[in-house]
Amino acid sequence: MFLSLLSAVHLGCIHAGWLCSSDCEASELLKRFQRGMAMVMRMMSGSSYSARPFARLCAVVDARAQFSTAAVSSVTTTTVSKSVTLPVGHGNVVAHGDPTFLESVDIYFDKAAAIAATTPDILAQIKACNNILKVQFPLKCANGTVELIEAYRAQHSHHRLPVKGGIRMAPNVDADETMALAALMTFKCAVVDVPFGGAKGGIKIDPTKYSANEKEAIIRRYTSELVRKNFIGPSIDVPAPDYGTGPQEMAWIKDTFEHLQPNDINGSACVTGKPLEEGGIDGRQEATGLGVYFCLREFLNDEALVAKLGLTTGIKGKTFIVQGFGNVGRHTIDVKFAQGILELPCDVLIPAALETQIHSGNAGNIKAKIVAEAANGPVTPLAETMLEDNDVVILPDLLLNAGGVTVSYFEWLKNLNHIHFGRMSRRMEERGKTALIDALENQFGNGHRFSDEVRSQVVKGNTEVDFVWSGLEETMLLSWENVKRTSQGRNCNYRTAAYLIAIERIATCYRVSGIFP
């Protein structure tokens, strides 16, 4: 369970505390977020479907699908006896009348593309998914049967190399979801200025139904398929953990790659999110949650922004709900309750589970003043419009969720340099600071000396985790200021601002590099 921050948690009235909908043990992604929130604690000593908001949404999306790479079609859906025409190029709908996850990403992109300072041809290139690999392979199960495993790897953009993105294991994995997540990775990396293209992978299984040996066999075979197709490598495509995977799976990927590519001296950089013993980096586990915290802290410390919401500055005294829904929680509490927890009164709602958790069916019941998207794509476009109609501020996933890939970048650099951060500098820093303290005592101390506790704090040299957290904070703060400035300057919400920054940075890359051949 997520830890209480400042006081006990109450269901109806959550006073200065955190409330989660369930345990997160089945999802390594949620466990990493939990560790980040726990670390933060230490640092701090519905509505029926209506046509009106959908019509407003359609108005801001280019109905001509000027930049769409999807099949051109116009689809009409009928909900609550009202007919609503979806934008051209966004054909399928899911429950509650919302677009699918991939279509939602396209809608958000189109909204920003309509005001981006670039040309339609470059926008089309940015939007398109460059490669999608589907593989199927047999698994000999422990009971002697043979099962066919289906898996994917999408490489959305090669404007920067390598491409980067996690690998998830879940029973609902498919090509569209994988491409949507890969696109988000492209834009996420661009927003925080991490020099990767976007990618994502998925294995279509329920990991809870397989033994450790079976999962190892699946991961190793999947990795071998990626190697054969040239879809993995330190300079090509670098996976990471995602929903249903963690450091152990990354260690299997690294080991398999190094066996198949024994002459690659940088082989350990083929994957990030590894255990420390296998070339991982200190601070990676809590990186995603810590990135969310840094951005939330900056928003809540901005007097002008919080005043519009009727709030005071700072985190202290605010109420939070963190929604995460892992396997243990799924079988422990009423599912109805888990969904209803999103609708409880609070200042800040943090959806930290999977995509499309807030949709047109429950957006009208959200009572939070701020929705901070810790998960990928937790709010659908229609839900976003409904929330904004109710004056709810949304801090977008492109920014808040980028802590993980930022620290993965640091791990990749560590692996390429074959040395951990701080090894060459820590003792030198400590000697220099010690000399400074001694000089101050001798020159100005008048016989007095710093206490041992103060001296140890001042002279301490930076360890790897110090470098990681400092670099992550710098990245998130600079990126937040850029998103805020763009939002104010271009008169758009924070999500559109984040997409604009990403689109224009990628467009500049394409424009400068040109077209080969």
Side-chain angles (χ1 to χ4, degrees):
M1 299 285 284
F2 285 94
L3 301 178
S4 172
L5 259 181
L6 299 173
S7 69
V9 175
H10 305 280
L11 277 180
C13 179
I14 317 156
H15 178 65
W18 295 84
L19 177 63
C20 71
S21 64
S22 66
D23 209 329
C24 308
E25 294 175 10
S27 166
E28 184 62 28
L29 177 65
L30 298 182
K31 286 195 287 185
R32 294 200 302 274
F33 188 83
Q34 177 185 3
R35 293 186 185 98
M37 291 299 103
M39 201 285 303
V40 166
M41 182 187 74
R42 296 195 297 272
M43 292 178 63
M44 295 174 56
S45 334
S47 175
S48 61
Y49 181 89
S50 68
R52 183 179 61 85
F54 196 92
R56 179 180 153 202
L57 172 67
C58 294
V60 298
V61 176
D62 186 1
R64 296 167 299 169
Q66 182 177 1
F67 314 119
S68 178
T69 57
V72 178
S73 61
S74 181
V75 177
T76 299
T77 182
T78 303
T79 309
V80 195
S81 74
K82 292 187 178 181
S83 180
V84 179
T85 302
L86 300 178
V88 175
H90 301 287
N92 300 321
V93 294
V94 293
H96 313 290
D98 294 275
T100 65
F101 184 26
L102 179 58
E103 291 166 341
S104 294
V105 174
D106 284 348
I107 288 172
Y108 289 138
F109 178 92
D110 289 343
K111 184 177 179 181
I115 57 174
T118 189
T119 57
D121 54 342
I122 291 182
L123 288 169
Q125 174 62 46
I126 296 172
K127 185 177 182 179
C129 182
N130 289 357
N131 297 327
I132 176 72
L133 172 69
K134 177 182 178 180
V135 297
Q136 292 179 304
F137 52 84
L139 168 70
K140 188 171 183 179
C141 301
N143 62 8
T145 62
V146 176
E147 181 179 339
L148 188 64
I149 303 297
E150 180 180 314
Y152 299 87
R153 186 69 179 174
Q155 297 177 340
H156 177 263
S157 177
H158 295 93
H159 74 284
R160 289 278 186 261
L161 288 174
V163 294
K164 188 84 179 71
I167 295 173
R168 63 173 47 184
M169 292 196 295
N172 61 335
V173 164
D174 60 24
D176 280 359
E177 178 195 65
T178 307
M179 288 190 292
L181 290 166
L184 286 178
M185 283 301 301
T186 292
F187 306 133
K188 190 185 304 182
C189 291
V191 166
V192 295
D193 202 19
V194 168
F196 293 142
K200 208 72 175 186
I203 302 173
K204 191 172 184 177
I205 65 167
D206 181 348
T208 65
K209 296 181 179 179
Y210 294 81
S211 68
N213 288 338
E214 288 171 333
K215 284 191 287 187
E216 180 178 358
I218 292 170
I219 287 291
R220 288 185 181 277
R221 178 59 185 268
Y222 175 70
T223 304
S224 71
E225 295 291 336
L226 297 181
V227 171
R228 290 175 57 198
K229 272 76 173 183
N230 206 30
F231 263 68
I232 187 173
S235 62
I236 300 169
D237 188 336
V238 180
D242 197 82
Y243 187 85
T245 62
Q248 179 59 76
E249 286 77 13
M250 302 307 106
W252 290 332
I253 291 174
K254 169 184 174 288
D255 183 69
T256 305
F257 180 86
E258 290 181 328
H259 274 83
L260 296 174
Q261 302 288 329
N263 296 323
D264 191 339
I265 193 173
N266 295 317
S268 63
C270 74
V271 64
T272 61
K274 303 180 293 294
L276 281 173
E277 300 81 0
E278 292 295 316
I281 194 167
D282 201 358
R284 175 63 180 87
Q285 292 288 345
E286 59 268 35
T288 305
L290 189 54
V292 174
Y293 165 73
F294 285 142
C295 289
L296 258 179
R297 183 193 67 189
E298 294 305 298
F299 179 89
L300 292 173
N301 283 340
D302 191 312
E303 186 174 1
L305 294 180
V306 297
K308 295 178 182 178
L309 300 175
L311 298 173
T312 57
T313 57
I315 287 179
K316 186 176 181 180
K318 304 299 187 297
T319 57
F320 298 80
I321 292 176
V322 179
Q323 182 243 8
F325 196 56
N327 182 62
V328 175
R330 183 182 298 120
H331 299 291
T332 302
I333 63 173
D334 188 282
V335 173
K336 181 188 289 188
F337 172 78
Q339 290 299 316
I341 208 168
L342 295 169
E343 302 171 10
L344 293 175
C346 64
D347 294 320
V348 182
L349 173 60
I350 305 178
L354 295 174
E355 57 270 8
T356 66
Q357 295 297 298
I358 301 177
H359 45 73
S360 61
N362 63 4
N365 296 330
I366 300 297
K367 300 176 183 64
K369 297 178 180 179
I370 302 165
V371 174
E373 297 182 334
N376 288 309
V379 178
T380 67
L382 181 52
E384 177 180 77
T385 304
M386 296 170 69
L387 290 171
E388 290 180 340
D389 282 346
N390 292 329
D391 298 321
V392 177
V393 171
I394 301 173
L395 302 180
D397 53 351
L398 287 194
L399 175 61
L400 266 67
N401 187 255
V405 72
T406 299
V407 176
S408 282
Y409 171 49
F410 300 158
E411 180 179 336
W412 180 72
L413 291 175
K414 172 186 176 179
N415 296 155
L416 293 180
N417 284 284
H418 301 271
I419 189 170
H420 65 74
F421 296 107
R423 183 169 184 175
M424 300 287 287
S425 60
R426 181 181 177 185
R427 299 300 175 185
M428 182 172 61
E429 290 175 2
E430 291 180 351
R431 283 194 293 271
K433 292 175 181 179
T434 299
L436 176 61
I437 289 293
D438 290 342
L440 289 173
E441 289 177 338
N442 294 334
Q443 186 72 23
F444 305 107
N446 196 26
H448 299 286
R449 294 178 58 83
F450 291 104
S451 68
D452 291 341
E453 181 181 1
V454 170
R455 175 178 281 267
S456 65
Q457 290 176 349
V458 171
V459 304
K460 176 183 175 292
N462 290 313
T463 63
E464 181 167 88
V465 74
D466 294 324
F467 283 104
V468 167
W469 286 351
S470 175
L472 174 60
E473 184 173 16
E474 173 73 1
T475 299
M476 300 307 292
L477 266 55
L478 287 177
S479 300
W480 158 246
E481 287 298 326
N482 199 9
V483 168
K484 181 175 70 170
R485 183 170 56 251
T486 301
S487 172
Q488 294 168 345
R490 306 290 281 272
N491 193 29
C492 59
N493 64 21
Y494 295 127
R495 188 190 313 281
T496 301
Y499 269 90
L500 268 174
I501 292 167
I503 288 171
E504 292 179 353
R505 280 178 173 168
I506 298 168
T508 299
C509 181
Y510 279 124
R511 189 164 51 248
V512 172
S513 62
I515 298 175
F516 176 83

